[in-house]
Amino acid sequence: MSKRIVEVFSAGCPVCEPTVELVRSLACPDCDVQVLDMRTDAAQAKARAYGVRRVPAVAVNGTLAACCEGAPDLQTLRSLGVGAPA
C-alpha cells in the first residue's frame, strides 16, 4: 500500500507553524508528511507548479488543498484523507 504524501509549504515562521503542527497531529502511519521550506529553490519551484500563492499551504498527493486559498483547516484536510489509512 502506498503512502499519502502530504506536503506543507512553510516559510519557517510563527504564522506557518500552527499549520505544520495541525498536519502532523492529523497524520497517520499512511501519511508521509513533508515540510517544504519556501526559502529553498526546490520548494519554490514545487510551489509554483502547484499554484501556491501564499503560505502556509498544503498539498495532498500533488493536489493543492482548496482550503489553502485561505488558511488550511481541519475539516478540509480530513476530507482529503489526512489522518486516515490509505
Side-chain angles (χ1 to χ4, degrees):
M1 188 181 304
S2 65
K3 289 197 174 232
R4 179 178 298 106
I5 298 179
V6 182
E7 297 165 301
V8 183
F9 293 87
S10 170
C13 66
V15 172
C16 294
E17 194 56 35
T19 298
V20 172
E21 290 174 13
L22 173 64
V23 170
R24 285 184 173 150
S25 72
L26 288 173
C28 68
D30 287 335
C31 294
D32 177 9
V33 176
Q34 302 172 8
V35 179
L36 297 134
D37 186 342
M38 290 296 291
R39 296 171 290 186
T40 68
D41 292 339
Q44 291 172 25
K46 189 171 264 195
R48 278 192 298 278
Y50 288 171
V52 172
R53 298 195 184 279
R54 66 178 109 182
V55 293
V58 178
V60 178
N61 289 336
T63 301
L64 186 62
C67 63
C68 293
E69 293 172 6
D73 64 83
L74 173 73
Q75 191 169 28
T76 302
L77 294 173
R78 285 223 186 264
S79 74
L80 291 169
V82 177

